[in-house]
Amino acid sequence: MQPLVLLPGLRCDAHLWHAVAAGLSDLAAPTIPNLTLDDTITDMAKRVLVSAPARFALAGLSMGGYVALEIMRQAPERVTHLALLDTSARPDTEERKTARRAEMALVVQGKASLVSRTSLPNLLAAHHVGGPVGDAVHDMAMRVGDAAYYRQQEAIMGRADSRPHLAGIKVPTLVGVGAEDRLTPPELAEEMAAAIPDAEMVVFPEAGHVSTLENPLAVIEAMRAWLAR
């Protein structure tokens, strides 16, 4: 059984990966680390490595992808396969940092629920915003809580530019993205896939930025093929 580490995104917990983990359970033994405790991507990666198996397949979505790329810098010899979903190798732009700080200011004012709900149209394909997927994403954000949200946002804003390191990735790599992802759109996935040797890129239909909840069957299919490489 292949050890598999699944890394959640901003304001997400293990529920982000629950359907995918179940769909891979005959091939892999998944674990889902807690990424709410640190305020740098470097420290998140260090914490994951302390508890991870000696060798493991690694998948991260959004912020989890930033952590996965940092793990590839810190301990590439421990990773057998890499999957980068709905993420980017680029650092935050100043414009994006400004938007994050504006959201953080609203959360400080006690408007965490409002921030979560108003972010859904950017996170999800339009037909998921008002339904069960939108509710699940909102519920995760509320469970993660404000203090962890601040830490995670600081970590994301301070993340490194991973583009110079992509050519050095030497393991089977899947780059996946929702067809309707507005936050890390398909062209950013294409950039990573072009730079990583022998990477495979898959576009998930009817999904935005949270593909593991929006179209888990497509993600499972892609990840099963990836784990078989």
Side-chain angles (χ1 to χ4, degrees):
M1 190 76 73
Q2 169 76 68
L4 173 61
V5 174
L6 302 170
L7 302 177
L10 171 70
R11 290 185 115 184
C12 294
D13 58 21
H15 183 73
L16 179 73
W17 288 102
H18 83 290
V20 171
L24 299 174
S25 61
D26 61 319
L27 292 180
T31 59
I32 306 172
N34 180 359
L35 298 185
T36 68
L37 303 174
D38 299 292
D39 62 4
T40 70
I41 298 297
T42 299
D43 286 344
M44 289 178 184
K46 288 178 180 176
R47 189 182 296 271
V48 170
L49 287 165
V50 167
S51 59
R55 295 266 290 163
F56 55 93
L58 177 64
L61 184 144
S62 192
M63 182 190 74
Y66 311 149
V67 178
L69 288 167
E70 177 62 27
I71 287 171
M72 293 304 296
R73 286 191 286 274
Q74 292 187 19
E77 72 285 353
R78 292 179 59 183
V79 178
T80 65
H81 297 68
L82 176 66
L84 301 168
L85 306 184
D86 299 286
T87 192
S88 169
R90 294 177 173 234
D92 248 12
T93 63
E94 289 305 316
E95 179 182 19
R96 189 71 187 98
K97 288 178 183 179
T98 298
R100 290 188 195 279
R101 292 188 181 108
E103 289 184 356
M104 293 166 78
L106 289 172
V107 172
V108 169
Q109 297 168 25
K111 298 178 180 178
S113 182
L114 174 66
V115 168
S116 173
R117 285 294 183 189
T118 56
S119 71
L120 292 178
N122 279 330
L123 284 172
L124 303 173
H127 63 288
H128 286 140
V129 172
V133 175
D135 289 341
V137 171
H138 174 72
D139 290 346
M140 282 195 297
M142 296 302 94
R143 288 195 298 270
V144 167
D146 295 355
Y149 166 74
Y150 301 141
R151 287 192 290 270
Q152 290 179 336
Q153 288 283 39
E154 291 292 344
I156 290 169
M157 288 189 290
R159 73 183 186 273
D161 186 347
S162 292
R163 288 173 293 178
H165 305 280
L166 297 178
I169 294 174
K170 304 300 184 186
V171 297
T173 300
L174 167 67
V175 179
V177 64
E180 300 175 51
D181 189 336
R182 296 176 185 86
L183 291 183
T184 53
E187 53 263 32
L188 293 180
E190 291 168 1
E191 178 180 65
M192 291 188 294
I196 298 171
D198 299 319
E200 179 183 5
M201 180 172 160
V202 177
V203 177
F204 307 123
E206 299 184 0
H209 190 63
V210 193
S211 56
T212 54
L213 292 180
E214 296 183 80
N215 195 342
L217 293 180
V219 176
I220 291 165
E221 180 182 7
M223 291 184 69
R224 290 180 74 87
W226 162 69
L227 287 169
R229 288 174 63 189

